[in-house]
Amino acid sequence: MAETVYLYLIIGIIIIGTAILYFYKKKSKKRLKVGLALGSGGMNGLAHIGVLKVLEENKVPIDCIVGSSMGAVIGACYSLNPNIKELEKIAVSLTKWKLMKLAKMGISKKSLISGDKIEIFLEELIGDKSFSDTKIPFKIIATDLNSGEELVIEKGRLVNAIMASISIPGILPPVRLNKRLLVDGGVINPTPVNVAKKIGSDVVIGVDLTMQSKAELKEPNIFQTLLRSYEILRTQSTKFNINKDDKSLLIIKPDMARLKSFKFYEIQKFIEEGEKTAKNAMHKIKSLLLNSE
């Protein structure tokens, strides 16, 4: 009888010990580090705000952000102040006339637009903040015009780095930063998911704004020709940088045909399209976070 009681006691201790160990491991298990790559895309990049809005609503953690071109603008604002309502409020306050002033022509030997007014706007929006001021680790992609290399900027003033990352060749002038001549990050890495992965993200959510279909240009003007050529370049660069077999990567791709049907000042529509795309992808995002553990 005593032996039976002793045996049951041993079995009970083993079961309880195993249960405690299991729950301890489960509790102490580190959460996956989530990286967010915000791609280039001009005004279409306002869709990033909608994506961030849905991620925030669903409490999807964001541990680091990498932005290219317009993704650098949105990423900088959000990483400094992770409050999507504030960012959306600022975005929708930009009227048609304010946007037209930013893109005022200033043709020179370097570009079609001087970029001075854009830089002033960014100074008002971000101020003298640097990368060290961000609440979410943040990096910006730019392209070295001389070497053709990708540059991942992670130090210094945010406005300077953003101006380099948004400088579309021919449209805005190159930016000299740390003795390097830089242009738009979208030239070399439009959707920088690989950079987000390299800096330690366990899973990466990428927002890709490259073209999805053929254009129907008949007699394009200089802007249309430049921008369409740039679209082709961005699309091919994205195909090169994205590993479709990577199970820890999810690409969110808003409907570019719909985005391009919006007028440049219909900011709320761009945001809503991003929201719609993110909501449709939310089950995949949650699955990515669960299955990658």
Side-chain angles (χ1 to χ4, degrees):
M1 180 70 178
E3 291 179 354
T4 303
V5 173
Y6 182 70
L7 179 61
Y8 279 122
L9 182 62
I10 296 296
I11 293 173
I13 291 172
I14 293 172
I15 292 173
I16 293 172
T18 303
I20 291 173
L21 184 62
Y22 170 78
F23 285 111
Y24 174 77
K25 284 184 175 180
K26 188 174 182 180
K27 188 175 181 180
S28 62
K29 190 173 183 179
K30 289 184 178 180
R31 178 179 61 76
L32 291 174
K33 184 177 180 181
V34 181
L36 180 65
L38 301 178
S40 63
M43 293 303 291
N44 296 326
L46 291 167
H48 292 319
I49 296 175
V51 172
L52 283 163
K53 189 174 181 180
V54 173
L55 294 178
E56 195 174 281
E57 287 172 353
N58 285 272
K59 295 180 170 57
V60 175
I62 300 173
D63 298 292
C64 67
I65 301 174
V66 182
S68 187
S69 199
M70 189 60 163
V73 178
I74 303 300
C77 293
Y78 190 76
S79 63
L80 283 169
N81 179 22
N83 184 329
I84 199 60
K85 288 184 179 180
E86 287 295 320
L87 181 53
E88 184 177 15
K89 184 179 178 180
I90 292 169
V92 297
S93 71
L94 295 173
T95 64
K96 175 181 178 180
W97 307 115
K98 285 181 181 178
L99 291 170
M100 288 180 69
K101 285 181 180 178
L102 292 179
K104 187 176 180 180
M105 296 285 285
I107 299 176
S108 69
K109 292 181 178 180
K110 293 182 178 181
S111 60
L112 294 175
I113 298 173
S114 69
D116 292 343
K117 293 187 180 297
I118 295 175
E119 187 168 4
I120 291 171
F121 168 73
L122 290 174
E123 293 280 3
E124 293 173 350
L125 182 64
I126 294 173
D128 199 38
K129 301 289 185 180
S130 66
F131 283 87
S132 60
D133 294 311
T134 61
K135 295 176 182 176
I136 299 174
F138 178 56
K139 300 183 189 299
I140 286 177
I141 305 298
T143 305
D144 188 311
L145 190 59
N146 288 315
S147 69
E149 296 173 337
E150 173 183 86
L151 179 64
V152 180
I153 309 173
E154 54 189 349
K155 294 180 181 179
R157 293 181 73 249
L158 284 165
V159 169
N160 294 346
I162 293 169
M163 284 302 297
S165 189
I166 66 172
S167 292
I168 302 173
I171 305 296
L172 288 166
V175 172
R176 192 168 292 281
L177 186 63
N178 299 328
K179 298 181 180 180
R180 302 180 78 165
L181 197 59
L182 306 175
V183 294
D184 199 300
V187 171
I188 197 163
N189 200 347
T191 313
V193 292
N194 57 331
V195 176
K197 191 71 175 177
K198 284 178 183 177
I199 61 177
S201 300
D202 297 307
V203 295
V204 177
I205 300 168
V207 186
D208 180 29
L209 296 167
T210 55
M211 66 184 192
Q212 297 168 340
S213 60
K214 294 180 179 179
E216 295 183 4
L217 300 175
K218 294 180 180 179
E219 294 183 15
N221 58 36
I222 185 171
F223 269 109
Q224 290 172 321
T225 300
L226 282 171
L227 292 176
R228 180 58 184 177
S229 299
Y230 182 57
E231 282 290 297
I232 295 169
L233 177 64
R234 289 195 316 114
T235 301
Q236 295 306 314
S237 294
T238 298
K239 289 178 180 178
F240 178 78
N241 286 311
I242 293 179
N243 180 5
K244 293 182 179 180
D245 297 323
D246 188 347
K247 302 300 181 183
S248 64
L249 169 65
L250 177 65
I251 298 295
I252 297 177
K253 201 170 178 68
D255 188 336
M256 293 300 293
R258 278 187 55 78
L259 289 175
K260 288 187 180 300
S261 71
F262 304 148
K263 294 181 174 62
F264 70 90
Y265 52 85
E266 294 179 320
I267 291 173
Q268 194 63 53
K269 289 186 178 181
F270 288 102
I271 295 173
E272 289 171 357
E273 189 61 32
E275 281 186 68
K276 177 183 174 182
T277 305
K279 285 178 179 178
N280 291 338
M282 188 48 61
H283 68 286
K284 291 183 179 179
I285 294 172
K286 290 180 178 179
S287 177
L288 175 71
L289 297 178
L290 288 172
N291 294 336
S292 297
E293 291 183 355

